[in-house]
Amino acid sequence: MANLKEIRNRISSVSSTMQITSAMKMVSAAKLKKAQDAITAMRPYADKLTELLQSLSATLDADSGSKFSEQREVKKVLIVAITSNRGLAGAFNSNIIKEVNKLTSETYANQEVSYVAIGKKANDAFKKTNKVIANKSEVFDDLTFENVAEIAQLLMDKFVAGEYDKIEIVYNKFKNAATQIVTTEQFLPIVPVEGEANSNADYIFEPSKEEIVEQLIPKSLKTQLYKGIRDSFASEHGARMTAMHKATDNAKELRDQLKLTYNKARQAAITNEILEIVGGAEALNN
């Protein structure tokens, strides 16, 4: 059994760790509220805008379709991996990395795959492959629509230029503080919704359906990427809050066990001292 000094040092160390994890939990909880409100507010708008443009694209003739809807033989794929810049968030980052690796080795095993890393953890995971064409981890330092729009514009330019035939986004979709859903979305080309060609028959488009689509598609794509990053940002704080909550509980349990061990060791030491005293007294009497 460890001596009393060693147990006291371990109790002190675990208590310090518990204070740190508890503080990190509270910080993440505060940030989560703001991030959750942001993604909850914009998600209906982003989803409706995407739905509208997909429906509009389905009504266009092939010759008048947008350059962002062009379907090509998939030879080169670009995967946008959205993680966090920091760890201590449970399986938040590893789940994204596993999904990207699965897409690379299974879904696109016969295609040439490159990556755009949004988050230092994604960059660290894939930079050894020499296939990371851009690291945009700094976007989390100032997460605004304008900064995300620059990344979306980069992706659109590469698709239009023919550098990539398909672009996918992989991120954690926020459900609640304890649940994040790994999601893969096709960013480009835009896939028209089948079976909804007549859903807009009652609308009058001015100046024309084609011009509206051409103007709104870039905005929709930028909004889609912004929503994905916002989802991931909220999921990160939810995952970290949950992880730090569990870590605090585990530290408390370990501290209680160490205190029990310390008390037992202390009682055993006192009992031994009493026995030594009694034994010494009896030896003097004899």
Side-chain angles (χ1 to χ4, degrees):
M1 180 178 290
N3 61 46
L4 295 177
K5 184 177 180 181
E6 291 176 350
I7 298 176
R8 282 199 302 268
N9 290 338
R10 290 190 63 190
I11 292 174
S12 177
S13 176
V14 171
S15 297
S16 298
T17 300
M18 187 174 70
Q19 290 177 348
I20 294 172
T21 55
S22 179
M24 292 181 67
K25 171 191 170 184
M26 289 188 290
V27 170
S28 292
K31 291 182 178 180
L32 172 63
K33 181 63 170 64
K34 184 177 180 180
Q36 182 178 353
D37 290 344
I39 185 58
T40 302
M42 78 163 295
R43 187 178 285 165
Y45 167 77
D47 292 344
K48 191 63 179 179
L49 181 59
T50 300
E51 177 188 339
L52 174 62
L53 288 173
Q54 286 178 337
S55 183
L56 281 171
S57 298
T59 66
L60 296 177
D61 297 331
D63 295 336
S64 60
S66 168
K67 56 189 176 182
F68 299 114
S69 303
E70 181 183 355
Q71 302 292 325
R72 303 191 287 256
E73 181 183 356
V74 179
K75 296 180 179 179
K76 293 185 177 181
V77 178
L78 182 62
I79 298 177
V80 182
I82 304 176
T83 61
S84 66
N85 286 340
R86 298 185 297 138
L88 297 178
F92 174 82
N93 292 311
S94 61
N95 286 340
I96 296 297
I97 294 169
K98 288 178 182 177
E99 182 64 22
V100 172
N101 286 332
K102 182 180 178 182
L103 287 172
T104 303
S105 61
E106 296 180 11
T107 307
Y108 302 118
N110 299 321
Q111 283 79 27
E112 182 181 336
V113 180
S114 300
Y115 309 105
V116 169
I118 300 180
K120 292 180 181 178
K121 295 301 179 180
N123 184 59
D124 292 344
F126 301 116
K127 66 180 180 182
K128 296 179 182 178
T129 65
N130 295 320
K131 294 181 179 180
V132 178
I133 66 167
N135 176 20
K136 299 296 182 179
S137 304
E138 71 280 358
V139 72
F140 289 111
D141 297 334
D142 185 17
L143 186 52
T144 62
F145 180 81
E146 289 74 17
N147 290 336
V148 174
E150 295 179 4
I151 303 175
Q153 189 62 53
L154 171 67
L155 300 178
M156 289 186 283
D157 291 343
K158 289 188 175 297
F159 178 80
V160 172
E163 295 183 35
Y164 298 98
D165 305 308
K166 191 174 184 180
I167 301 178
E168 300 263 30
I169 304 174
V170 183
Y171 65 97
N172 280 293
K173 185 175 183 179
F174 179 81
K175 184 176 181 181
N176 54 52
T179 305
Q180 300 82 38
I181 303 171
V182 178
T183 304
T184 301
E185 287 182 359
Q186 182 169 315
F187 186 70
L188 287 169
I190 296 173
V191 181
V193 178
E194 297 180 359
E196 296 187 7
N198 298 322
S199 61
N200 299 292
D202 295 333
Y203 291 97
I204 298 175
F205 298 97
E206 180 66 32
S208 71
K209 192 181 300 183
E210 290 78 7
E211 291 184 52
I212 291 174
V213 169
E214 286 295 327
Q215 292 178 12
L216 288 186
I217 278 182
K219 181 177 181 180
S220 173
L221 291 171
K222 293 172 183 177
T223 302
Q224 180 184 354
L225 182 61
Y226 185 57
K227 178 180 73 72
I229 295 177
R230 271 289 178 190
D231 254 318
S232 179
F233 189 64
S235 297
E236 174 193 350
H237 291 303
R240 182 170 292 111
M241 185 186 74
T242 302
M244 291 301 98
H245 176 72
K246 292 180 180 178
T248 302
D249 289 346
N250 291 338
K252 183 177 183 300
E253 182 179 350
L254 179 57
R255 185 191 62 178
D256 293 341
Q257 291 176 352
L258 287 171
K259 284 185 176 181
L260 182 60
T261 302
Y262 175 80
N263 290 333
K264 288 181 178 180
R266 185 167 175 271
Q267 289 173 357
I270 293 173
T271 301
N272 288 334
E273 289 177 1
I274 293 174
L275 291 175
E276 290 174 359
I277 293 172
V278 172
E282 291 182 353
L284 291 175
N285 292 332
N286 294 331

